[in-house]
Amino acid sequence: MSSAEARPAGPRSGGSSAGDRSAAVEVLTARQVPLGGPRAMPVRRTLPQRARTLIGAWCFADHYGPDDVSRTGGMDVAPHPHTGLQTVSWLFSGEIEHRDSLGSHAYVRPGELNLMTGGFGISHSEVSTARTTTLHGVQLWVALPDAHRNAERDFQHYAPTPVPLHGGRARVFLGSLAGDTSPVRTFTPLLGAEVSVDPGAAVTFDIEPEFEHGVLVDTGDVRMNGTALAPTELGYAAPGHRTLTLANEGPEPARTVLLGGPPFEEEIVMWWNFIGRTHEDIVQARDAWQNATDRFGTVEGYPGDRLPAPALPHSVLTPRKNPVSSAKDSR
């Protein structure tokens, strides 16, 4: 049983003494949810949750696999819509075929970033390919700021070169870290990187003190600034840190995904695949999708029907933002 199944979603504080740096790290556990309609595959979701809606503009984090495709059938997510966000696809193993209403037909492969912008509206499908045996990776969303939440459709692909570190390596797919900078365009300052740490080693980065950071553990016995993180958990550090240390205490290599950005101060409404600012924003987006308007376009080449939107709740959807965090550090 994974930690996502064994423990309810929510935060816990790291550290046991007042002088321990780990007291500044909050640990978020995952919950298991189905992804993709009738042929849903299970994923572990750490963002959003009641304790934390965003880390920077990162507003959604799904972690899946390693999934034996011969047993589970893999990923088959029919065409579905997005508004007000960017999707970030990052794989550790396997391959996913991407089609969208911009006309993009691309593949998500390990170590290569696919970033799709769905501002005013876009739709896409995601299907693991026939040559995939094991599917393993993360799906992330970035909230667009209000000034750009109706941005035009866009698609970017980038394969970062691994950056060697003393005790590990990094692939920087968004923002800057360890002297490497991604050319991928975003609408707010962001950091996104896969960081691997060798057995028994530790890596320390200089980081932007105005950023908050999250570390999602895929494999390994990891400590984030002294706080233990189990696989599938997400460690959170509030702004104020000038360095970040990831230590691997286990006998096998550790793999993590590092996320960061300045606090996203705007309140957002998230429902299904939409991000807006009001209940009415969501109603309008849902109606446009259900009525097959031009807002989301058409995905060509997917052999099946598109996903219908679920029914809206009877209550009014209300905006959410992060709670004020006590996990601050002055260094």
mmCIF file of all heavy atoms in Angstrom, residues 42-83:
data_model
loop_
_atom_site.group_PDB
_atom_site.id
_atom_site.type_symbol
_atom_site.label_atom_id
_atom_site.label_comp_id
_atom_site.label_asym_id
_atom_site.label_seq_id
_atom_site.Cartn_x
_atom_site.Cartn_y
_atom_site.Cartn_z
ATOM 1 N N PRO A 42 -5.594 5.349 -12.099
ATOM 2 C CA PRO A 42 -5.427 6.009 -10.802
ATOM 3 C C PRO A 42 -4.178 6.875 -10.784
ATOM 4 O O PRO A 42 -3.130 6.499 -11.314
ATOM 5 C CB PRO A 42 -5.311 4.836 -9.829
ATOM 6 C CG PRO A 42 -4.758 3.716 -10.653
ATOM 7 C CD PRO A 42 -5.296 3.910 -12.038
ATOM 8 N N VAL A 43 -4.290 8.058 -10.191
ATOM 9 C CA VAL A 43 -3.148 8.948 -10.010
ATOM 10 C C VAL A 43 -3.128 9.425 -8.573
ATOM 11 O O VAL A 43 -4.137 9.367 -7.864
ATOM 12 C CB VAL A 43 -3.203 10.163 -10.973
ATOM 13 C CG1 VAL A 43 -3.210 9.710 -12.415
ATOM 14 C CG2 VAL A 43 -4.422 11.034 -10.678
ATOM 15 N N ARG A 44 -1.969 9.905 -8.130
ATOM 16 C CA ARG A 44 -1.817 10.427 -6.776
ATOM 17 C C ARG A 44 -1.734 11.951 -6.858
ATOM 18 O O ARG A 44 -0.845 12.486 -7.509
ATOM 19 C CB ARG A 44 -0.560 9.843 -6.128
ATOM 20 C CG ARG A 44 -0.603 8.315 -6.015
ATOM 21 C CD ARG A 44 0.711 7.747 -5.500
ATOM 22 N NE ARG A 44 1.812 7.943 -6.422
ATOM 23 C CZ ARG A 44 2.094 7.135 -7.448
ATOM 24 N NH1 ARG A 44 1.328 6.087 -7.700
ATOM 25 N NH2 ARG A 44 3.141 7.373 -8.228
ATOM 26 N N ARG A 45 -2.652 12.631 -6.195
ATOM 27 C CA ARG A 45 -2.769 14.090 -6.327
ATOM 28 C C ARG A 45 -2.347 14.758 -5.023
ATOM 29 O O ARG A 45 -2.907 14.487 -3.965
ATOM 30 C CB ARG A 45 -4.201 14.467 -6.693
ATOM 31 C CG ARG A 45 -4.423 15.949 -6.938
ATOM 32 C CD ARG A 45 -5.748 16.174 -7.663
ATOM 33 N NE ARG A 45 -5.723 15.539 -8.978
ATOM 34 C CZ ARG A 45 -6.818 15.312 -9.712
ATOM 35 N NH1 ARG A 45 -8.013 15.662 -9.257
ATOM 36 N NH2 ARG A 45 -6.706 14.730 -10.896
ATOM 37 N N THR A 46 -1.361 15.664 -5.130
ATOM 38 C CA THR A 46 -0.924 16.425 -3.959
ATOM 39 C C THR A 46 -1.343 17.893 -4.015
ATOM 40 O O THR A 46 -1.369 18.557 -2.986
ATOM 41 C CB THR A 46 0.603 16.347 -3.783
ATOM 42 O OG1 THR A 46 1.239 16.564 -5.044
ATOM 43 C CG2 THR A 46 1.016 15.005 -3.227
ATOM 44 N N LEU A 47 -1.625 18.408 -5.193
ATOM 45 C CA LEU A 47 -2.186 19.752 -5.363
ATOM 46 C C LEU A 47 -3.352 19.664 -6.319
ATOM 47 O O LEU A 47 -3.255 18.939 -7.326
ATOM 48 C CB LEU A 47 -1.151 20.724 -5.949
ATOM 49 C CG LEU A 47 -0.046 21.274 -5.063
ATOM 50 C CD1 LEU A 47 0.855 22.195 -5.911
ATOM 51 C CD2 LEU A 47 -0.573 22.018 -3.859
ATOM 52 N N PRO A 48 -4.445 20.394 -6.045
ATOM 53 C CA PRO A 48 -4.694 21.200 -4.850
ATOM 54 C C PRO A 48 -5.263 20.337 -3.729
ATOM 55 O O PRO A 48 -5.754 19.234 -3.973
ATOM 56 C CB PRO A 48 -5.742 22.200 -5.330
ATOM 57 C CG PRO A 48 -6.545 21.410 -6.323
ATOM 58 C CD PRO A 48 -5.550 20.517 -7.019
ATOM 59 N N GLN A 49 -5.213 20.844 -2.517
ATOM 60 C CA GLN A 49 -5.879 20.228 -1.391
ATOM 61 C C GLN A 49 -6.250 21.328 -0.397
ATOM 62 O O GLN A 49 -5.879 22.492 -0.582
ATOM 63 C CB GLN A 49 -5.025 19.154 -0.740
ATOM 64 C CG GLN A 49 -3.656 19.603 -0.278
ATOM 65 C CD GLN A 49 -2.912 18.466 0.404
ATOM 66 O OE1 GLN A 49 -3.027 18.302 1.607
ATOM 67 N NE2 GLN A 49 -2.158 17.671 -0.374
ATOM 68 N N ARG A 50 -6.987 20.947 0.620
ATOM 69 C CA ARG A 50 -7.514 21.956 1.529
ATOM 70 C C ARG A 50 -6.392 22.776 2.175
ATOM 71 O O ARG A 50 -6.515 23.987 2.376
ATOM 72 C CB ARG A 50 -8.360 21.283 2.611
ATOM 73 C CG ARG A 50 -9.152 22.272 3.478
ATOM 74 C CD ARG A 50 -10.046 21.520 4.445
ATOM 75 N NE ARG A 50 -10.965 20.658 3.754
ATOM 76 C CZ ARG A 50 -12.135 21.062 3.239
ATOM 77 N NH1 ARG A 50 -12.478 22.343 3.322
ATOM 78 N NH2 ARG A 50 -12.945 20.210 2.630
ATOM 79 N N ALA A 51 -5.279 22.132 2.491
ATOM 80 C CA ALA A 51 -4.200 22.826 3.182
ATOM 81 C C ALA A 51 -3.420 23.764 2.272
ATOM 82 O O ALA A 51 -2.828 24.734 2.746
ATOM 83 C CB ALA A 51 -3.248 21.806 3.799
ATOM 84 N N ARG A 52 -3.402 23.477 0.971
ATOM 85 C CA ARG A 52 -2.605 24.311 0.064
ATOM 86 C C ARG A 52 -3.163 24.195 -1.342
ATOM 87 O O ARG A 52 -3.246 23.109 -1.915
ATOM 88 C CB ARG A 52 -1.138 23.866 0.093
ATOM 89 C CG ARG A 52 -0.234 24.738 -0.778
ATOM 90 C CD ARG A 52 1.157 24.798 -0.237
ATOM 91 N NE ARG A 52 1.158 25.324 1.134
ATOM 92 C CZ ARG A 52 1.086 26.618 1.432
ATOM 93 N NH1 ARG A 52 0.994 27.522 0.483
ATOM 94 N NH2 ARG A 52 1.095 26.999 2.700
ATOM 95 N N THR A 53 -3.534 25.343 -1.908
ATOM 96 C CA THR A 53 -4.075 25.387 -3.257
ATOM 97 C C THR A 53 -2.976 25.521 -4.299
ATOM 98 O O THR A 53 -3.052 24.919 -5.369
ATOM 99 C CB THR A 53 -5.069 26.557 -3.392
ATOM 100 O OG1 THR A 53 -6.110 26.414 -2.413
ATOM 101 C CG2 THR A 53 -5.698 26.597 -4.775
ATOM 102 N N LEU A 54 -1.948 26.308 -4.008
ATOM 103 C CA LEU A 54 -0.905 26.600 -4.983
ATOM 104 C C LEU A 54 0.471 26.621 -4.335
ATOM 105 O O LEU A 54 0.602 26.863 -3.131
ATOM 106 C CB LEU A 54 -1.127 27.974 -5.628
ATOM 107 C CG LEU A 54 -2.443 28.299 -6.293
ATOM 108 C CD1 LEU A 54 -3.236 29.259 -5.427
ATOM 109 C CD2 LEU A 54 -2.216 28.926 -7.668
ATOM 110 N N ILE A 55 1.494 26.383 -5.158
ATOM 111 C CA ILE A 55 2.891 26.677 -4.829
ATOM 112 C C ILE A 55 3.398 27.542 -5.970
ATOM 113 O O ILE A 55 3.572 27.066 -7.089
ATOM 114 C CB ILE A 55 3.730 25.398 -4.682
ATOM 115 C CG1 ILE A 55 3.226 24.559 -3.511
ATOM 116 C CG2 ILE A 55 5.205 25.748 -4.502
ATOM 117 C CD1 ILE A 55 3.949 23.241 -3.336
ATOM 118 N N GLY A 56 3.603 28.843 -5.698
ATOM 119 C CA GLY A 56 3.752 29.767 -6.811
ATOM 120 C C GLY A 56 2.468 29.724 -7.617
ATOM 121 O O GLY A 56 1.366 29.710 -7.068
ATOM 122 N N ALA A 57 2.597 29.688 -8.942
ATOM 123 C CA ALA A 57 1.418 29.523 -9.798
ATOM 124 C C ALA A 57 1.106 28.057 -10.072
ATOM 125 O O ALA A 57 0.135 27.758 -10.773
ATOM 126 C CB ALA A 57 1.622 30.272 -11.114
ATOM 127 N N TRP A 58 1.923 27.126 -9.537
ATOM 128 C CA TRP A 58 1.624 25.701 -9.691
ATOM 129 C C TRP A 58 0.364 25.387 -8.890
ATOM 130 O O TRP A 58 0.322 25.587 -7.680
ATOM 131 C CB TRP A 58 2.781 24.850 -9.179
ATOM 132 C CG TRP A 58 4.068 25.032 -9.918
ATOM 133 C CD1 TRP A 58 5.146 25.783 -9.539
ATOM 134 C CD2 TRP A 58 4.433 24.435 -11.174
ATOM 135 N NE1 TRP A 58 6.145 25.700 -10.472
ATOM 136 C CE2 TRP A 58 5.737 24.879 -11.477
ATOM 137 C CE3 TRP A 58 3.774 23.565 -12.046
ATOM 138 C CZ2 TRP A 58 6.401 24.489 -12.641
ATOM 139 C CZ3 TRP A 58 4.427 23.182 -13.203
ATOM 140 C CH2 TRP A 58 5.727 23.630 -13.497
ATOM 141 N N CYS A 59 -0.664 24.884 -9.552
ATOM 142 C CA CYS A 59 -1.955 24.695 -8.895
ATOM 143 C C CYS A 59 -2.456 23.258 -8.938
ATOM 144 O O CYS A 59 -3.529 22.963 -8.395
ATOM 145 C CB CYS A 59 -3.008 25.623 -9.514
ATOM 146 S SG CYS A 59 -3.304 25.327 -11.280
ATOM 147 N N PHE A 60 -1.703 22.364 -9.563
ATOM 148 C CA PHE A 60 -2.193 20.991 -9.758
ATOM 149 C C PHE A 60 -0.983 20.090 -9.945
ATOM 150 O O PHE A 60 -0.075 20.409 -10.720
ATOM 151 C CB PHE A 60 -3.076 20.978 -11.006
ATOM 152 C CG PHE A 60 -3.706 19.660 -11.359
ATOM 153 C CD1 PHE A 60 -4.987 19.348 -10.893
ATOM 154 C CD2 PHE A 60 -3.075 18.766 -12.191
ATOM 155 C CE1 PHE A 60 -5.597 18.155 -11.254
ATOM 156 C CE2 PHE A 60 -3.674 17.567 -12.554
ATOM 157 C CZ PHE A 60 -4.945 17.269 -12.079
ATOM 158 N N ALA A 61 -0.952 18.982 -9.218
ATOM 159 C CA ALA A 61 0.144 18.022 -9.350
ATOM 160 C C ALA A 61 -0.394 16.609 -9.226
ATOM 161 O O ALA A 61 -0.863 16.206 -8.158
ATOM 162 C CB ALA A 61 1.215 18.274 -8.294
ATOM 163 N N ASP A 62 -0.364 15.878 -10.334
ATOM 164 C CA ASP A 62 -0.714 14.460 -10.370
ATOM 165 C C ASP A 62 0.554 13.658 -10.626
ATOM 166 O O ASP A 62 1.367 14.008 -11.488
ATOM 167 C CB ASP A 62 -1.718 14.161 -11.483
ATOM 168 C CG ASP A 62 -3.153 14.384 -11.052
ATOM 169 O OD1 ASP A 62 -3.383 14.743 -9.890
ATOM 170 O OD2 ASP A 62 -4.060 14.218 -11.907
ATOM 171 N N HIS A 63 0.696 12.569 -9.904
ATOM 172 C CA HIS A 63 1.886 11.706 -9.953
ATOM 173 C C HIS A 63 1.375 10.286 -10.203
ATOM 174 O O HIS A 63 0.531 9.796 -9.450
ATOM 175 C CB HIS A 63 2.598 11.827 -8.608
ATOM 176 C CG HIS A 63 3.821 10.988 -8.449
ATOM 177 N ND1 HIS A 63 4.284 10.598 -7.209
ATOM 178 C CD2 HIS A 63 4.694 10.466 -9.340
ATOM 179 C CE1 HIS A 63 5.383 9.886 -7.349
ATOM 180 N NE2 HIS A 63 5.651 9.789 -8.644
ATOM 181 N N TYR A 64 1.852 9.635 -11.252
ATOM 182 C CA TYR A 64 1.307 8.322 -11.594
ATOM 183 C C TYR A 64 2.423 7.340 -11.937
ATOM 184 O O TYR A 64 3.503 7.712 -12.354
ATOM 185 C CB TYR A 64 0.308 8.418 -12.754
ATOM 186 C CG TYR A 64 0.820 9.119 -13.979
ATOM 187 C CD1 TYR A 64 1.495 8.441 -14.980
ATOM 188 C CD2 TYR A 64 0.624 10.489 -14.148
ATOM 189 C CE1 TYR A 64 1.961 9.076 -16.108
ATOM 190 C CE2 TYR A 64 1.087 11.154 -15.269
ATOM 191 C CZ TYR A 64 1.754 10.436 -16.247
ATOM 192 O OH TYR A 64 2.234 11.078 -17.365
ATOM 193 N N GLY A 65 2.126 6.045 -11.725
ATOM 194 C CA GLY A 65 3.049 4.981 -12.045
ATOM 195 C C GLY A 65 4.074 4.717 -10.936
ATOM 196 O O GLY A 65 4.020 5.335 -9.874
ATOM 197 N N PRO A 66 5.024 3.771 -11.222
ATOM 198 C CA PRO A 66 5.136 3.041 -12.485
ATOM 199 C C PRO A 66 3.953 2.105 -12.711
ATOM 200 O O PRO A 66 3.598 1.307 -11.839
ATOM 201 C CB PRO A 66 6.445 2.259 -12.337
ATOM 202 C CG PRO A 66 6.698 2.187 -10.855
ATOM 203 C CD PRO A 66 6.078 3.398 -10.257
ATOM 204 N N ASP A 67 3.349 2.255 -13.888
ATOM 205 C CA ASP A 67 2.116 1.573 -14.247
ATOM 206 C C ASP A 67 2.405 0.548 -15.336
ATOM 207 O O ASP A 67 2.888 0.901 -16.423
ATOM 208 C CB ASP A 67 1.112 2.631 -14.738
ATOM 209 C CG ASP A 67 -0.234 2.040 -15.090
ATOM 210 O OD1 ASP A 67 -0.736 1.231 -14.303
ATOM 211 O OD2 ASP A 67 -0.767 2.391 -16.158
ATOM 212 N N ASP A 68 2.139 -0.722 -15.048
ATOM 213 C CA ASP A 68 2.321 -1.809 -16.022
ATOM 214 C C ASP A 68 1.176 -1.740 -17.032
ATOM 215 O O ASP A 68 0.051 -2.148 -16.748
ATOM 216 C CB ASP A 68 2.335 -3.151 -15.304
ATOM 217 C CG ASP A 68 2.548 -4.329 -16.245
ATOM 218 O OD1 ASP A 68 2.564 -4.126 -17.481
ATOM 219 O OD2 ASP A 68 2.670 -5.464 -15.751
ATOM 220 N N VAL A 69 1.458 -1.199 -18.205
ATOM 221 C CA VAL A 69 0.424 -0.949 -19.204
ATOM 222 C C VAL A 69 -0.229 -2.241 -19.679
ATOM 223 O O VAL A 69 -1.431 -2.262 -19.987
ATOM 224 C CB VAL A 69 1.028 -0.156 -20.379
ATOM 225 C CG1 VAL A 69 0.066 -0.078 -21.539
ATOM 226 C CG2 VAL A 69 1.417 1.243 -19.910
ATOM 227 N N SER A 70 0.520 -3.347 -19.708
ATOM 228 C CA SER A 70 -0.065 -4.614 -20.154
ATOM 229 C C SER A 70 -1.159 -5.096 -19.201
ATOM 230 O O SER A 70 -2.071 -5.816 -19.598
ATOM 231 C CB SER A 70 1.025 -5.688 -20.259
ATOM 232 O OG SER A 70 1.554 -5.998 -18.967
ATOM 233 N N ARG A 71 -1.075 -4.653 -17.955
ATOM 234 C CA ARG A 71 -2.076 -5.058 -16.957
ATOM 235 C C ARG A 71 -3.199 -4.034 -16.824
ATOM 236 O O ARG A 71 -4.361 -4.393 -16.661
ATOM 237 C CB ARG A 71 -1.383 -5.248 -15.600
ATOM 238 C CG ARG A 71 -2.307 -5.690 -14.477
ATOM 239 C CD ARG A 71 -1.524 -5.926 -13.187
ATOM 240 N NE ARG A 71 -0.814 -4.717 -12.779
ATOM 241 C CZ ARG A 71 -1.390 -3.726 -12.083
ATOM 242 N NH1 ARG A 71 -2.666 -3.803 -11.745
ATOM 243 N NH2 ARG A 71 -0.673 -2.681 -11.727
ATOM 244 N N THR A 72 -2.875 -2.758 -16.916
ATOM 245 C CA THR A 72 -3.859 -1.705 -16.631
ATOM 246 C C THR A 72 -4.477 -1.079 -17.876
ATOM 247 O O THR A 72 -5.519 -0.429 -17.783
ATOM 248 C CB THR A 72 -3.207 -0.582 -15.818
ATOM 249 O OG1 THR A 72 -2.190 0.040 -16.620
ATOM 250 C CG2 THR A 72 -2.574 -1.128 -14.542
ATOM 251 N N GLY A 73 -3.814 -1.234 -19.024
ATOM 252 C CA GLY A 73 -4.311 -0.592 -20.226
ATOM 253 C C GLY A 73 -3.720 0.780 -20.480
ATOM 254 O O GLY A 73 -3.917 1.372 -21.543
ATOM 255 N N GLY A 74 -2.993 1.331 -19.501
ATOM 256 C CA GLY A 74 -2.311 2.600 -19.700
ATOM 257 C C GLY A 74 -3.236 3.795 -19.662
ATOM 258 O O GLY A 74 -4.314 3.768 -19.070
ATOM 259 N N MET A 75 -2.818 4.873 -20.308
ATOM 260 C CA MET A 75 -3.557 6.137 -20.311
ATOM 261 C C MET A 75 -4.348 6.285 -21.601
ATOM 262 O O MET A 75 -3.825 6.089 -22.696
ATOM 263 C CB MET A 75 -2.580 7.311 -20.159
ATOM 264 C CG MET A 75 -3.251 8.674 -20.165
ATOM 265 S SD MET A 75 -2.075 10.054 -20.081
ATOM 266 C CE MET A 75 -1.446 9.854 -18.409
ATOM 267 N N ASP A 76 -5.611 6.639 -21.472
ATOM 268 C CA ASP A 76 -6.443 6.960 -22.627
ATOM 269 C C ASP A 76 -7.423 8.037 -22.188
ATOM 270 O O ASP A 76 -8.527 7.748 -21.729
ATOM 271 C CB ASP A 76 -7.174 5.726 -23.143
ATOM 272 C CG ASP A 76 -7.923 5.987 -24.444
ATOM 273 O OD1 ASP A 76 -8.008 7.165 -24.854
ATOM 274 O OD2 ASP A 76 -8.424 5.021 -25.049
ATOM 275 N N VAL A 77 -7.002 9.284 -22.301
ATOM 276 C CA VAL A 77 -7.833 10.419 -21.896
ATOM 277 C C VAL A 77 -8.375 11.071 -23.161
ATOM 278 O O VAL A 77 -7.632 11.672 -23.941
ATOM 279 C CB VAL A 77 -7.040 11.438 -21.061
ATOM 280 C CG1 VAL A 77 -7.969 12.544 -20.560
ATOM 281 C CG2 VAL A 77 -6.355 10.751 -19.881
ATOM 282 N N ALA A 78 -9.679 10.933 -23.365
ATOM 283 C CA ALA A 78 -10.338 11.464 -24.561
ATOM 284 C C ALA A 78 -10.270 12.986 -24.583
ATOM 285 O O ALA A 78 -9.957 13.627 -23.567
ATOM 286 C CB ALA A 78 -11.792 10.988 -24.579
ATOM 287 N N PRO A 79 -10.554 13.604 -25.741
ATOM 288 C CA PRO A 79 -10.514 15.073 -25.822
ATOM 289 C C PRO A 79 -11.325 15.733 -24.712
ATOM 290 O O PRO A 79 -12.471 15.371 -24.458
ATOM 291 C CB PRO A 79 -11.114 15.348 -27.202
ATOM 292 C CG PRO A 79 -10.736 14.148 -28.014
ATOM 293 C CD PRO A 79 -10.836 13.000 -27.067
ATOM 294 N N HIS A 80 -10.691 16.709 -24.066
ATOM 295 C CA HIS A 80 -11.300 17.424 -22.949
ATOM 296 C C HIS A 80 -10.776 18.859 -22.959
ATOM 297 O O HIS A 80 -9.728 19.138 -23.533
ATOM 298 C CB HIS A 80 -10.970 16.728 -21.622
ATOM 299 C CG HIS A 80 -9.517 16.585 -21.349
ATOM 300 N ND1 HIS A 80 -8.732 15.619 -21.958
ATOM 301 C CD2 HIS A 80 -8.669 17.299 -20.552
ATOM 302 C CE1 HIS A 80 -7.481 15.732 -21.552
ATOM 303 N NE2 HIS A 80 -7.412 16.748 -20.707
ATOM 304 N N PRO A 81 -11.489 19.792 -22.324
ATOM 305 C CA PRO A 81 -11.149 21.207 -22.456
ATOM 306 C C PRO A 81 -10.306 21.733 -21.291
ATOM 307 O O PRO A 81 -10.240 21.135 -20.222
ATOM 308 C CB PRO A 81 -12.527 21.869 -22.434
ATOM 309 C CG PRO A 81 -13.292 21.017 -21.454
ATOM 310 C CD PRO A 81 -12.794 19.603 -21.653
ATOM 311 N N HIS A 82 -9.688 22.908 -21.523
ATOM 312 C CA HIS A 82 -9.004 23.646 -20.457
ATOM 313 C C HIS A 82 -9.201 25.136 -20.682
ATOM 314 O O HIS A 82 -9.245 25.611 -21.823
ATOM 315 C CB HIS A 82 -7.499 23.360 -20.453
ATOM 316 C CG HIS A 82 -7.143 21.997 -19.967
ATOM 317 N ND1 HIS A 82 -7.320 21.599 -18.661
ATOM 318 C CD2 HIS A 82 -6.603 20.932 -20.619
ATOM 319 C CE1 HIS A 82 -6.909 20.344 -18.522
ATOM 320 N NE2 HIS A 82 -6.458 19.916 -19.692
ATOM 321 N N THR A 83 -9.275 25.866 -19.575
ATOM 322 C CA THR A 83 -9.250 27.326 -19.614
ATOM 323 C C THR A 83 -8.383 27.833 -18.462
ATOM 324 O O THR A 83 -8.292 27.215 -17.406
ATOM 325 C CB THR A 83 -10.653 27.948 -19.443
ATOM 326 O OG1 THR A 83 -11.186 27.564 -18.163
ATOM 327 C CG2 THR A 83 -11.593 27.509 -20.536
#
